[in-house]
Amino acid sequence: QVKLVESGGGLVQAGGSLRLSCAASTRTASSGAVGWFRQAPGKEREFVASINWSGSSTGYTDSVKGRFTVSRDNAINTVYLQMNTLKPEDTAVYYCAAGKSVRALQSAQVDYWSQGTQVTVSS
């Protein structure tokens, strides 16, 4: 069992930045990659970004490429999502997720979820 605890959400103006953190209780074969999903009101949950623990593979949805960066610190089992040039359409509840690989997460094959954190971008 892997527990994911995320932090770092909040309110920011358009054009601003936020960094989300996701601390994993452990790393297992079923949590070879960690990433982020988001769900805006009235919309389906969507994949945002992910990285594997070796750092050799990352994935991003097109709408955040060039603005968001996912990274990890293996020493403390933590993955980060640096979000720059935020837009009002980035407003959503962001969930940390763990799965077997970056590709699995991109296909929404998630083994573990965090509790979610609200990110609100004002115009």
Side-chain angles (χ1 to χ4, degrees):
Q1 189 74 13
V2 178
K3 183 177 180 182
L4 302 173
V5 179
E6 69 177 309
S7 59
L11 173 65
V12 65
Q13 288 188 331
S17 299
L18 280 176
R19 189 177 79 159
L20 304 182
S21 300
C22 176
S25 59
T26 186
R27 282 186 272 159
T28 67
S30 62
S31 61
V34 176
W36 303 87
F37 286 71
R38 66 187 180 186
Q39 187 167 19
K43 295 187 177 181
E44 293 188 355
R45 193 172 298 188
E46 65 171 350
F47 170 82
V48 177
S50 66
I51 187 169
N52 61 2
W53 285 112
S54 71
S56 62
S57 179
T58 58
Y60 297 91
T61 191
D62 287 345
S63 63
V64 308
K65 286 180 180 177
R67 300 188 298 122
F68 291 11
T69 302
V70 62
S71 61
R72 89 275 185 246
D73 184 339
N74 289 12
I76 54 173
N77 287 352
T78 298
V79 173
Y80 303 98
L81 183 67
Q82 179 65 44
M83 305 184 292
N84 298 329
T85 319
L86 282 161
K87 303 176 181 180
E89 51 263 44
D90 294 317
T91 295
V93 177
Y94 283 69
Y95 298 89
C96 178
K100 292 181 175 58
S101 66
V102 168
R103 181 169 294 185
L105 289 177
Q106 288 176 309
S107 300
Q109 297 172 37
V110 176
D111 292 295
Y112 305 99
W113 290 102
S114 71
Q115 78 282 3
T117 188
Q118 178 70 44
V119 171
T120 302
V121 184
S122 63
S123 57

